[in-house]
Amino acid sequence: MNTSLSWIKRYVPDLDVTPQAYCDGMTLSGTKVENFRKLDADLEKIVVGRVLEQVPHPDSDHLVICQVDIGNDTVQIVTGAPNSAVGILTPVVLPGGRVAGGHDGKMTAGGIEIKAGKLRGVDSYGMMCSIEELGSSREFYPEAPENGIYIFSDEDGVKPGDDAIHALGLDDVDVEYEITSNRVDCYSVIGIAREAAATFGKSFQAPEVTETGNKEDISSYLSAEVIDTDLCPRFTARVIKNIKIGPSPKWMQRCLASSGIRPINNVVDITNYVMEEYGQPMHAYDLDTIAGHKIIVKRAENGEKFTTLDGKEYTLDNTILTIRDAEKGIGLAGIMGGENTMITDQVQTMVFESANFDGTNIRLSSKKIGHQTDASRKFDKGLDPNNASAAMARACQLIEEFGAGEVVGGMIDIYPEKREPVRVPFEPDKINALLGTDIGREEQLAYLEKVELAYDPDTDEIVAPTFRQDIHRTCDVAEEVARFYGYNNIPVTLPSGEATTGKLSFKMLIEEKARDVAEYCGFSQGMCYSFESPKVFDRLLLDRDDVRRQAVKISNPLGEDYSIMRTMSLNGILTSLATNYNRRNKDVRLYELGNIYLPKTLPLQELPEERMQFTLGFYGKGDFYDMKGVIEEFFGKIGLQGIVDYDGAPVQPYLHPGRQAKIIYRGTHMGELGEVHPLVRASYGIGDRAYVAVLDIPSLLQAATFDRKYKGIAKFPSVTRDLSMVVPKMIEAAVIEKMIRQRGGKILESVELFDIYEGAQVMPGYKSMAYSLVFRSSEKTLEEADVSAAMKKILNGLSSLKIVLRQ
């Protein structure tokens, strides 16, 4: 939202603060100012001058020598302006002054200094200015010539020596605000002015709107019907006849120009002015083009075509609200009117529309057709329906003031459910408790009165006007008190209430352990994009029918490389490893905790499933077993008790077929680890062996635990037995260890592989493995019979695997 300071002062006339003080004060009271710009920052020593004499330059065909009255003196200026003439009044910059730019409209930082000099041998003491040289353009000053200097008209009421910048309205400040969506009233100049008056303790003077309309009845000109009242809570319309199209007054043009709106004519300018002043968009139709002189507000038909004022055609559907006549669509509600009812210079009778539309529908409709306007940006915030009639009255008053037409009596007003002011109990003690202050009851009411929050003593309630759609409960009232009491005046206090102990959730604890283990093992955390390219699946060698190719597509992506939401987390880590490798970083270890997005159905009918993945990757020092060690360290930290199984059967195409494993815990697939497939490494540009692991955090949450039971120091001695075995090569150590633990019973305390050998002393196809077994009972000293019985069970189980003791 942008406003000019001069426009604000139309409603707060005694506001006398510097631009910086104004911005600081507004920000501190809750209306945040982003920045401000002085329109005359690059303009100095520019006055109104009248050309008294003009003669041709003796040494030039296009230059003339002028004697210019600047009020207290007459100066000689040589100019090449084609529209210079005796008697004109024009802006003149004197020697030592500055202008903003040139006829090409290009601005120069700090302006251009004008010095006295000679033009082809003739002295010149200043320069007569075009509107571009004053930092503006013909877009905002349509009366300015296309080529030449700016000439004041009699309407401007200026004389030689006057401040030309003031006369042009360029001694102004453009202020940019950051307005939150719940303060819809501040998307208007009046709303900002009301805040300014409250902030600086000045009186707010709203525009005085007088009743308009002749003795005729609008019903003889126009009728209206709202079919879809859920999307149009209020619709008002008035008829203006005997239209006289012409320029709007200079003061209105200057107000519009200060807000970046190009003046067009009196009718269009009035609708734009009221939209900015009241924050209520309006639209004008040519009554003679409205079939049946009837307006109908209803949803469009599916596939319906509509051409807007700017000549663009759109295809509509039945979610888009339209304004129609008896035969056709004449406007997209809240967005733009139609080309078929546009106001032209030949208009005789027109219809003013001021309505209220459902903000959500307007926002969705404008996005659907890909067309946003100033009106739709205001409507999609959700406007006050009571403001529609106020804006209509103001527009009709301006029509009569400007002599732009005759307002027909009466107004069509379809308003089935009137919005009433919100009432909130006034609880000063609760407000003080919330703020940590000790503000008196009357002082609180005084702050609220500043912003028109009335107090009803009969019900002891605060009554919020309907334009304050952000006031619903006591905390909202407390905010109003706080911002005018001054946030900087609120003392520092400790929170009151019962003591509570904050802690991380179980999921966050698991993630914290993942970070701790990864960083302890030398990994650095990375952050990878959730948006990826569909080409990722080909780089990872996924089959064409792999379910992971079914990804959520982004409707408005930045490009193909960011067009889907990732269903795998590996691409981000591999891309980061490749970047580090190409920058010649050695021994890089990275990890990421990030979501993947798995659609439940395609096309989407509900939000996809988000699953957190713990992804690790490294190249350089280390191998498969180093990665396996990191995984087992993590599992130990999160309390996964028992043996973790590793299924070495090739499953993932992006991993080396002989150096990968599925990670299984108690029958549940937790993830996988392995060496990256050489073809995948090559596609990413990693020239060294790389290893990755991916763990599914939601699966781990089901098995993890932080419950720990204390075990005292053993009271009874342990018994150790060593087993040296000849084992077929295809049998994995995990299988042997699992068998030993199953058969060893409760007295088996630990199992440790301490030797493995393959060589000439072992028959081909076999390997020698040696384990150390520790037995201990928590209840008694073990006897030889106890240990022998356990060993017998273990040996019987091993023999079933064709494992024999080494002789």
Side-chain angles (χ1 to χ4, degrees), residues 322-375:
T322 60
I323 311 298
R324 318 179 70 81
D325 60 18
E327 300 174 356
K328 61 187 179 298
I330 59 174
L332 297 180
I335 301 175
M336 185 175 279
E339 187 179 50
N340 49 15
T341 55
M342 66 185 298
I343 298 295
T344 64
D345 291 344
Q346 288 71 45
V347 64
Q348 296 296 316
T349 308
M350 72 176 185
V351 176
F352 257 159
E353 167 215 299
S354 177
N356 183 263
F357 303 111
D358 178 71
T360 301
N361 179 261
I362 298 301
R363 178 176 59 82
L364 294 175
S365 297
S366 61
K367 284 190 67 175
K368 184 171 292 185
I369 67 173
H371 188 49
Q372 278 192 321
T373 61
D374 289 340

Side-chain angles (χ1 to χ4, degrees), residues 76-79 95 115-119 122-127:
Q76 178 173 288
I77 297 176
V78 179
T79 182
K115 300 178 181 179
K118 293 179 181 290
L119 287 177
V122 178
D123 291 333
S124 182
Y125 300 95
M127 182 180 77

Side-chain angles (χ1 to χ4, degrees), residues 563-576:
S563 60
I564 63 169
M565 301 193 75
R566 65 179 183 176
T567 57
M568 304 172 62
S569 61
L570 271 181
N571 176 64
I573 285 292
L574 291 176
T575 302
S576 298

Side-chain angles (χ1 to χ4, degrees), residues 419-588:
R419 180 174 294 179
E420 299 294 341
V422 174
R423 290 176 170 268
V424 179
F426 180 49
E427 302 171 297
D429 292 337
K430 189 173 181 179
I431 290 173
N432 278 322
L434 185 63
L435 299 179
T437 56
D438 186 19
I439 307 172
R441 176 188 179 92
E442 296 304 318
E443 187 178 356
Q444 290 187 23
L445 290 174
Y447 292 137
L448 299 174
E449 186 181 0
K450 283 185 172 186
V451 285
E452 301 183 25
L453 297 178
Y455 173 65
D456 185 348
D458 296 333
T459 59
D460 196 24
E461 291 176 319
I462 298 297
V463 183
T466 54
F467 63 77
R468 286 301 302 271
Q469 300 184 47
D470 60 313
I471 305 295
H472 300 287
R473 49 188 66 86
T474 299
C475 60
D476 299 324
V477 177
E479 182 183 5
E480 298 301 301
V481 172
R483 65 194 188 99
F484 292 113
Y485 176 71
Y487 293 115
N488 55 315
N489 295 323
I490 297 177
V492 177
T493 57
L494 292 173
S496 60
E498 296 181 2
T500 59
T501 302
K503 65 177 183 178
L504 297 176
S505 66
F506 185 70
K507 176 177 179 291
M508 294 176 71
L509 283 172
I510 298 295
E511 293 171 11
E512 183 180 55
K513 292 297 181 184
R515 279 189 287 269
D516 289 345
V517 170
E519 290 168 11
Y520 173 77
C521 295
F523 288 78
S524 298
Q525 185 170 13
M527 300 292 288
C528 304
Y529 291 117
S530 295
F531 295 171
E532 292 184 336
S533 167
K535 297 176 183 176
V536 165
F537 303 127
D538 294 330
R539 296 182 75 181
L540 295 175
L541 307 179
L542 293 191
D543 293 337
R544 288 294 174 186
D545 57 350
D546 195 303
V547 69
R548 288 170 291 189
R549 287 181 177 267
Q550 305 302 313
V552 177
K553 294 182 179 179
I554 309 301
S555 59
N556 55 341
L558 296 174
E560 186 183 5
D561 289 345
Y562 303 96
S563 60
I564 63 169
M565 301 193 75
R566 65 179 183 176
T567 57
M568 304 172 62
S569 61
L570 271 181
N571 176 64
I573 285 292
L574 291 176
T575 302
S576 298
L577 289 176
T579 301
N580 280 275
Y581 182 84
N582 292 325
R583 292 179 181 172
R584 301 185 180 181
N585 293 326
K586 296 180 180 180
D587 303 324
V588 174

Side-chain angles (χ1 to χ4, degrees), residues 175-194:
V175 184
E176 179 185 357
Y177 308 86
E178 180 187 314
I179 307 298
T180 55
S181 58
N182 66 328
R183 286 304 305 272
V184 183
D185 56 303
C186 288
Y187 283 93
S188 67
V189 180
I190 286 179
I192 296 291
R194 187 184 288 112

